[in-house]
Every structure is written in structure tokens, then in C-alpha cells.
Amino acid sequence: MTSSKRSDAITKGPSKAPARAMLRAVGYGDKDFAQPMIAVVNTWSNVTPCNMHLDALAEPIRQGVRAGGATPIDFNTIVVSDGITMGGEGMRASLISREVIADSIELAVRGHSLDAAVILVGCDKTLPAAAMALARMDVPGLIFYGGTILPGNSKGKDLSIQDVFEAVGAHGRGDIDDGELDRIERAACPGAGACGGQFTANTMAMALAFLGLAPMGAGDPPAVDGNKAVEAERCGRLVAALAKRKITARNFVTEASLRNAATAVVASGGSTNAVLHLAAIAAEADVPFTIDIFDELSRTTPVITDLKPGGQFLARDLYDAGGMALFGRRLLEGGRLTDAPTVSGKTLAEELQDAPETPDQKVVYTVDNPVKATGGLRILYGDMAPEGAVLKTAGYDDGSFTGPARVYECEDDAFKAVQSGAINEGDVVIIRYEGPRGGPGMREMLAVTAAVAGQGLAGKVALITDGRFSGASHGFVIGHVAPEAANGGPIALIEEGDILTINAEERTINADIDWEARRAAFVPRPLNSLGGAFDKFARLVSSAAHGAVTSKSF
């Protein structure tokens, strides 16, 4: 270790006596000042099971940092629970929280001139926010994922939060009664951990491991598994080593590693939110990236896991089968990954090549014998989406869909229509003014897609929005339509009954209308002003096609 370090700015020299005096009051001493000083950034909260256990996992991380010859310094930041806010006004805060979390990490680490950071994450937006902050600051650091929740169980069936949302739809149709809905609600979430399928949290945990910013295997054990604390201690040692060697985040966030991360998303049937988040991480790292990478990969990369929401199994089952490393080994064997460095000190290939496999496991397939021959995401262009839109096809055919538009100006109105039985097979549901700027906040539409699924219409209707879809959403769903309605995008010009055609194979989304006449008659709608952080976000946010970031202009 060289003698100079970033934290010397607060610990070294006569002029820093006041800073040292305050640090001594907290309990730090000369030995602590001489070592790398590492931020242990926690997103702990008891508002959600995803993050409720992270306070306990911070202590083994601290132990690992100390054992590695460094000094841990604790900070906290926020979390906004997607599962709790879903379907309501609070969901507008979710994507905005990603920016606030990244900003707060940057301010704490840079403000105190710390040498490195280890970031504990759980619920959806905390994962990309952690990577965005590390990429933006370009300091040594890594991300530790608190792990998946265990499945709930009712009547012998494994449950996740997806089942609760879909039960709401079934209840609305009259297929289940109040008692059955109550049973599912009470059984679905048995304790700590993030939502259990290949939804956004588990998708991003996998993506960050393949990006190289999270140690392979550290995120795999479920939240309540005894191995979680072991992995936490390992992460503490690893971040101390990174700090001493001064290996910073941008050594890992490269064009090659971003492609590996996108490959993992596509091959696992992961969340469309990863398109938004990987674009944002790339923007923070100043690495060239286009969302078209997902489409390119989907043409040649099969889905090789049978994970919910499109498949049968949950993240706990993937862990039991052999984990992310087994999944990665199969991709490596199939020639779908590029070797790259990771925060563990091993390259990605070294982490994957000897991954064990549980005999007779049913979760992970091979590239030559996949669950689905093509990847789970498509990037669509056309009349409706000049800057692109994201179609999730995992678990569904890749055909075309043509139908009449059913137009709703917000998610709430669309949900009411679904629950009242107003949506029929063959309809194309348009939900607009829910984009990053128009929402503001780009709400997820799980309440709508789950209600559609609960009514037996998943894949039988198409849903199109300038907002987002949850990682737990499934069906023929298209999100991130850009430009968004609030920016005068074509989605704002669609009228009830217009015939729309989506062709997944040709990657097109078009409407058979006179666009010039519609544009001439268009009257812009006033922005939805909520004040405070919401309006600030709306003023700063970029297009979804560029990750909906607030720190860059495009």
C-alpha cells in the first residue's frame, strides 16, 4: 500500500486536527487513520422484507474490513419499496429514489474523502443506485446483495409476491373469495429477503455479478441462510483489498462487462428494468452503451433458466441448483460471455469454469438445449417508438399482435378498467403520461399486469406504456416507450380504437393512422406537478432510452 490515500484529506497533518478530534470522539484512533477508511453504506429499513436484515449483515462486513486492515465507517441511505408502493402514487418515488440513493452515496463518500465503499442492497432501486454511485465516483468498492426471500406456501404451492398481485386480479374476476385472497396475502412473504422470482432485484443482483461489481456467489444465498453472514465477511475483506490496491469501479464497468451483464439478463428471462438500469450505470461510467445491445443479444442468446415470472422456479431454487455460477458456466461453455476482471480478484471465467451442479436440478439448462430458443427481451422501433421500446417475451411466443387501442391517461384508470372487466382478449391497452418526466417517476405497472394475468388474459392482451413494468410482470407487455407522452412522443397521439400492430420478430410497433394530421391537432397536456423532489426529477431526467438519469444530458 502506498503512503498516500484519499482519506489523508481528513486525517493527516496539523491542519486536520479538528477533523481528527471529531473522529476520535466517535472512537477512531491513530491506527484507524493510518488505514484505508471504507464507507459501509447500508440501505437497511424495516419498511420492507427486502432490506430488513441488512443491519445485521453490516457487522460481518465490518469484521471483514477490519480483518483486511482497513477502517469501516457507517452511513445510511434510503429505500423505497416497489412492492408496497406498487399501484399507487407512492410508486412515483421509486425510480426517483434510485437517483437520490446514488447521490447520497456520492455525497457521503466524497464529502468525507473516503478511500472505498461497500454498499449493502436489497430492494430493486438500491442495486442499480449502488453501481451508479461507484461508477460515477470511480473509487474502489463493491456491492453486497442481501439475498432473496424464501418462498411462501399455501395449500402446498410455493408463493411469491407475484402470486398476491395476481390473486387480486382473480379476486376481481370472482374466481377466488375474500378468504382465499387473505390466505395468499398472509402466506406469500415469510420473512426477510427480496422478491423471490427473477424479478428486478434478483435480475440486477445477477447483472451486477456478471458486471464484476459484486463478488460471484455472494448474492446467491437467501437472506436468512447461514452462509449470508459468511459472504458478508468475505465482502469486507475484498473491499479492503481493493482499497489497498486502489482498483476502482471503472476497471470493472466496461463495454465487455456491460455486455456480459446484459447477456445474463437476457438468458435468465430477467426484468425489463435491467435495460433502464444498465444504461444508467454505463452513463455514470462514461462507457458507450445502447439499449439495442439487448435486442442483438436476444436474437442469438437463448433463455436457459426456468425462473418466474415466465417459468416455474424461484431464486431459492436457482441457489439450490448451483446458483449464478452454474448459470454463468453454461453461458461460458456456450460461448456467450467475454472474460473480464471482477472484484473478487478472479476473472469471470475463473469464477465460473468449475461451478458445481446439483444432480438432477431442473432450473438451469444449456445453450444447446434451452428453455426458449431466443432471449427474453426485444427492443422495438416504429411509428409508436422512434427512440425505442422494450418488449418482454420470456415465457411467451415471439409472434405479432394486432388489436384496437384502449387508451388510458394513467395507470390507475387502466387498473380500474381491468378489474371491472372492461378489457377483452385482443385489446391493446395504452397507458401513457407515466414516463420519467410525465409521471413523474415512471411508475411500474405490476398492479395492471397482475390483474390482467389474474383474469386469465396474460398474453391475450397487449399492454403498452411509457412507464415501466415490474420484473414480476409477464404477458405481452411493452414499456419504456420513447419519446414519452409528456415530451410529445407519438404515444400521446393514439386515440381509442386505433389499430396497433406489434411484431416481435421484426422488432416493430406501429399504428395505422395519419400521424401528420394527429400531430397538427395535438394540444400538449400540462405536466403533472407534484412539487419538491418530483418536479426536480422531471426537470432533469433524460429519456428512458438513455437510462432516465439525472446526472447527464443527452
Side-chain angles (χ1 to χ4, degrees):
M1 183 180 70
T2 60
S3 57
S4 64
K5 51 189 176 61
R6 288 167 53 94
S7 58
D8 288 348
I10 61 168
T11 63
K12 201 167 187 179
S15 67
K16 298 306 174 184
R20 290 193 299 273
M22 296 192 74
L23 289 167
R24 291 182 194 282
V26 182
Y28 298 107
D30 293 344
K31 179 182 177 183
D32 300 305
F33 301 152
Q35 298 178 152
M37 303 186 79
I38 295 176
V40 179
V41 184
N42 207 328
T43 59
W44 170 83
S45 171
N46 64 5
V47 76
T48 172
C50 309
N51 297 54
M52 64 183 280
H53 60 306
L54 297 183
D55 57 338
L57 289 174
E59 180 51 31
I61 284 182
R62 294 183 203 106
Q63 292 171 2
V65 169
R66 294 187 189 103
T71 303
I73 300 181
D74 289 276
F75 293 94
N76 300 294
T77 186
I78 65 166
V79 59
V80 173
S81 167
D82 287 38
I84 294 171
T85 61
M86 195 74 68
E89 283 294 299
M91 172 48 75
R92 300 189 191 284
S94 170
L95 185 60
I96 299 174
S97 78
R98 186 191 72 178
E99 306 301 297
V100 173
I101 296 163
D103 290 352
S104 65
I105 295 170
E106 177 191 12
L107 292 172
V109 173
R110 292 185 65 181
H112 298 92
S113 301
L114 299 179
D115 300 295
V118 54
I119 307 169
L120 290 82
V121 296
C123 192
D124 295 4
K125 302 310 169 292
T126 63
L127 288 95
M132 289 164 66
L134 289 176
R136 183 190 300 175
M137 296 184 295
D138 194 27
V139 299
L142 61 81
I143 300 163
F144 178 57
Y145 175 50
T148 184
I149 196 171
L150 293 178
N153 193 278
S154 179
K155 298 182 176 179
K157 176 189 175 185
D158 280 352
L159 299 177
S160 73
I161 194 66
Q162 175 187 346
D163 296 284
V164 186
F165 279 102
E166 294 184 4
V168 172
H171 180 267
R173 193 170 69 169
D175 288 350
I176 63 174
D177 60 17
D178 291 349
E180 180 63 13
L181 179 60
D182 183 68
R183 272 191 295 276
I184 293 171
E185 171 194 329
R186 293 176 185 277
C189 299
C195 299
Q198 192 66 347
F199 311 151
T200 301
N202 285 318
T203 296
M204 287 308 300
M206 180 179 282
L208 295 180
F210 282 80
L211 188 63
L213 281 180
M216 184 63 66
D220 288 74
V224 297
D225 191 287
N227 285 325
K228 207 74 210 179
V230 176
E231 291 295 344
E233 199 271 348
R234 176 167 77 104
C235 285
R237 290 176 180 268
L238 287 174
V239 75
L242 290 168
K244 289 182 175 183
R245 296 172 63 195
K246 298 186 178 180
I247 301 175
T248 63
R250 294 192 187 184
N251 285 277
F252 306 107
V253 183
T254 64
E255 290 185 70
S257 69
L258 283 160
R259 189 178 182 88
N260 286 338
T263 298
V265 172
V266 167
S268 65
S271 169
T272 56
N273 280 310
V275 178
L276 196 73
H277 298 326
L278 288 179
I281 295 165
E284 297 289 3
D286 292 323
V287 175
F289 186 83
T290 169
I291 61 173
D292 292 335
I293 287 172
F294 287 91
D295 191 76
E296 175 198 338
L297 291 171
S298 278
R299 293 174 185 268
T300 58
T301 304
V303 176
I304 64 167
T305 62
D306 192 11
L307 294 170
K308 287 180 178 290
Q312 302 181 62
F313 297 105
L314 295 166
R316 186 276 310 266
D317 302 309
L318 175 61
Y319 174 58
D320 290 344
M324 294 182 200
L326 172 63
F327 165 74
R329 192 188 95 195
R330 293 286 169 80
L331 290 175
L332 189 67
E333 291 168 347
R336 296 308 198 271
L337 296 174
T338 300
D339 201 13
T342 77
V343 291
S344 74
K346 296 180 179 179
T347 69
L348 184 63
E350 288 170 340
E351 289 281 16
L352 302 178
Q353 60 192 6
D354 297 320
E357 177 177 359
T358 301
D360 301 321
Q361 63 85 19
K362 307 294 184 186
V363 184
V364 183
Y365 288 62
T366 66
V367 169
D368 293 333
N369 180 34
V371 174
K372 188 170 176 288
T374 54
L377 299 175
R378 302 283 187 276
I379 305 299
L380 309 182
Y381 291 92
D383 298 340
M384 279 277 292
E387 293 180 3
V390 182
L391 167 67
K392 184 173 185 176
T393 63
Y396 292 87
D397 292 333
D398 298 343
S400 60
F401 196 106
T402 299
R406 306 296 308 281
V407 181
Y408 300 94
E409 306 300 324
C410 65
E411 176 192 7
D412 313 78
D413 291 347
F415 179 75
K416 290 174 186 175
V418 173
Q419 286 294 81
S420 68
I423 303 301
N424 301 307
E425 184 174 339
D427 285 344
V428 179
V429 178
I430 302 288
I431 309 172
R432 62 193 181 194
Y433 294 100
E434 291 285 6
R437 183 169 180 244
M442 205 179 183
R443 286 194 288 182
E444 290 182 349
M445 307 291 159
L446 178 57
V448 177
T449 59
V452 166
Q455 298 210 7
L457 293 173
K460 299 176 183 177
V461 302
L463 294 100
I464 301 174
T465 182
D466 52 7
R468 298 179 292 132
F469 287 112
S470 165
S473 292
H474 62 108
F476 211 87
V477 297
I478 299 168
H480 308 198
V481 171
E484 62 176 292
N487 288 336
I491 191 173
L493 308 181
I494 298 297
E495 296 178 0
E496 187 83 7
D498 287 345
I499 301 301
L500 276 65
T501 299
I502 305 143
N503 191 310
E505 185 59 33
E506 295 181 3
R507 272 59 169 184
T508 57
I509 174 171
N510 294 306
D512 186 17
I513 62 175
D514 185 340
W515 288 102
E516 288 188 11
R518 290 282 176 87
R519 178 66 67 190
F522 176 64
V523 178
R525 168 178 154 170
L527 286 177
N528 185 21
S529 176
L530 300 179
F534 295 88
D535 287 3
K536 180 166 66 173
F537 178 83
R539 287 194 302 271
L540 297 174
V541 70
S542 70
S543 167
H546 298 296
V549 296
T550 57
S551 63
K552 303 275 182 179
S553 351
F554 294 89

